[in-house]
């Protein structure tokens, strides 16, 4: 089958483009998957971490409200407790509906149980009772329940923070894998370019140089150029056309002599 120079060069560049397109498509898919993983990581773990922080803040405000009640500030203390309680449950519902880690539900149950016990202690009257100003009661009873609840919330936060850290480490490795097709495509393109240059030189540049040299070395009377292009393309066609021209010139010259 006759292959033209145009077809050879076109096929070579199409192969190079195909290699780059395939490698690029793989990289795009890898980065897209990586982007979705990062989005899921931020969307899930970050929600639980933020919810845990809000629960801790609410618990600390409740602790302040209890101390105000112990000082006899009933109205202000109750307002703080009421607002903090709403804030705690709002954050708790977010964490409860965002279970993404193994055994995370058990952490939620522990928080719910610890908070229920803690809340039952400060729901009872404090002002004008033996609890008002009773530091021993605060230290041995209410504060310990506060610490237990806060610890349960912090454990949930640590679970999601550890998961986020592990996911980030895993994503680093995946990002390296996502970059690899691009690196391979660049190396492959360079290697292929060198090979393509070799073949262009061999099948295009060198034959033209041989043909040009044969024309320069042509001597009157020769019926053809002293060159034999081995390819079967436009350069060979050009060689044949020049040889045909030379043969006609020689034939015409001989005829004119007669």
């Amino acid at each position: 089958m006759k292959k033209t120079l145009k077809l050879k060069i076109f096929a070579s560049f199409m192969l190079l483009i195909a290699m780059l397109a395939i490698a690029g498509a793989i990289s795009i898919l890898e980065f897209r998957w990586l982007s979705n993983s990062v989005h899921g990581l931020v969307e899930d773990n970050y929600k639980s971490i933020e919810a845990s922080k809000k629960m801790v803040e609410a618990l600390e405000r409740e602790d302040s409200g209890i101390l105000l009640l112990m000082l006899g500030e009933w109205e202000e203390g109750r307002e703080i407790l009421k607002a903090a309680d709403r804030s705690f449950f709002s954050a708790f519902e977010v964490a409860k509906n965002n279970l993404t880690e193994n055994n995370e539900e058990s952490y939620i149950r522990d928080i719910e149980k610890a908070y229920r016990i803690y809340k039952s202690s400060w729901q009872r009257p404090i002002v004008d009772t033996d609890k008002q100003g009773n530091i021993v009661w605060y230290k041995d009873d209410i504060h310990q329940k506060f610490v237990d609840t806060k610890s349960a919330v912090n454990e949930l936060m640590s679970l999601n923070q550890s998961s986020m850290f592990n996911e980030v480490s895993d994503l680093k490795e995946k990002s390296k894998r996502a970059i690899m097709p691009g690196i391979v495509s660049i190396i492959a393109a360079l290697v292929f370019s060198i090979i393509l240059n070799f073949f262009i030189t061999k099948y295009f540049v060198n034959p033209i140089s041989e043909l040009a040299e044969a024309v320069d070395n042509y001597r009157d009377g020769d019926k053809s150029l002293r060159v034999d292009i081995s390819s079967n393309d436009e350069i060979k066609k050009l060689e044949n056309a020049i040889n045909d021209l030379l043969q006609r010139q020689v034939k015409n010259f001989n005829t004119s002599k007669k």
Side-chain angles (χ1 to χ4, degrees), residues 21 44 65 74 87 100 102 114 137 139 141 182 204 211 221 223 231 246:
D44 296 332
W74 185 86
S87 179
T100 57
N102 293 330
W137 169 78
K139 179 182 177 182
D141 189 339
F204 182 60
L211 191 59
K223 293 183 178 181
S231 63
L246 293 175

Side-chain angles (χ1 to χ4, degrees), residues 88-256:
F88 181 90
F89 270 111
S90 176
F92 177 77
E93 285 300 314
V94 172
K96 185 178 180 180
N97 295 318
N98 188 50
L99 303 176
T100 57
E101 304 302 323
N102 293 330
N103 300 322
E104 190 170 4
E105 189 174 0
S106 64
Y107 288 81
I108 294 295
R109 287 196 299 267
D110 290 342
I111 293 172
E112 189 174 25
K113 180 181 177 181
Y115 185 72
R116 186 173 60 250
I117 295 172
Y118 173 58
K119 184 176 178 179
S120 64
S121 297
W122 56 255
Q123 274 185 316
R124 300 165 190 164
I126 295 176
V127 178
D128 296 330
T129 68
D130 60 340
K131 297 175 183 177
Q132 183 175 335
N134 191 340
I135 299 300
V136 175
W137 169 78
Y138 172 81
K139 179 182 177 182
D140 295 341
D141 189 339
I142 197 90
H143 182 69
Q144 185 58 50
K145 292 172 183 176
F146 161 76
V147 171
D148 292 342
T149 308
K150 189 175 179 180
S151 296
V153 174
N154 283 331
E155 286 178 6
L156 176 66
M157 189 188 303
S158 296
L159 174 69
N160 282 276
Q161 287 174 336
S162 297
S163 176
M164 182 178 287
F165 176 80
N166 293 333
E167 284 290 336
V168 168
S169 299
D170 189 41
L171 288 174
K172 286 182 180 178
E173 294 300 319
K174 291 174 181 176
S175 66
K176 292 178 182 177
R177 291 200 297 270
I179 294 171
M180 284 305 298
I183 296 175
V184 171
S185 68
I186 292 172
I187 295 173
L190 291 173
V191 172
F192 186 77
S193 297
I194 294 171
I195 295 173
L196 181 61
N197 180 70
F198 169 78
F199 280 105
I200 288 176
T201 301
K202 181 178 180 180
Y203 294 107
F204 182 60
V205 177
N206 288 345
I208 290 177
S209 297
E210 290 176 12
L211 191 59
E213 185 178 354
V215 171
D216 289 338
N217 295 330
Y218 174 75
R219 286 182 287 184
D220 293 339
D222 289 345
K223 293 183 178 181
S224 64
L225 297 176
R226 297 180 181 182
V227 65
D228 184 18
I229 305 299
S230 59
S231 63
N232 188 24
D233 49 32
E234 288 88 348
I235 299 177
K236 184 66 176 180
K237 186 177 179 180
L238 178 61
E239 179 198 358
N240 292 334
I242 294 174
N243 286 330
D244 289 342
L245 177 62
L246 293 175
Q247 288 174 6
R248 286 197 300 271
Q249 285 181 339
V250 171
K251 184 176 180 181
N252 292 335
F253 176 77
N254 292 333
T255 302
S256 63

Side-chain angles (χ1 to χ4, degrees), residues 10-21:
F10 177 75
S12 299
F13 279 103
M14 285 302 296
L15 180 59
L16 177 60
I17 292 170
M19 291 170 59
L20 293 173

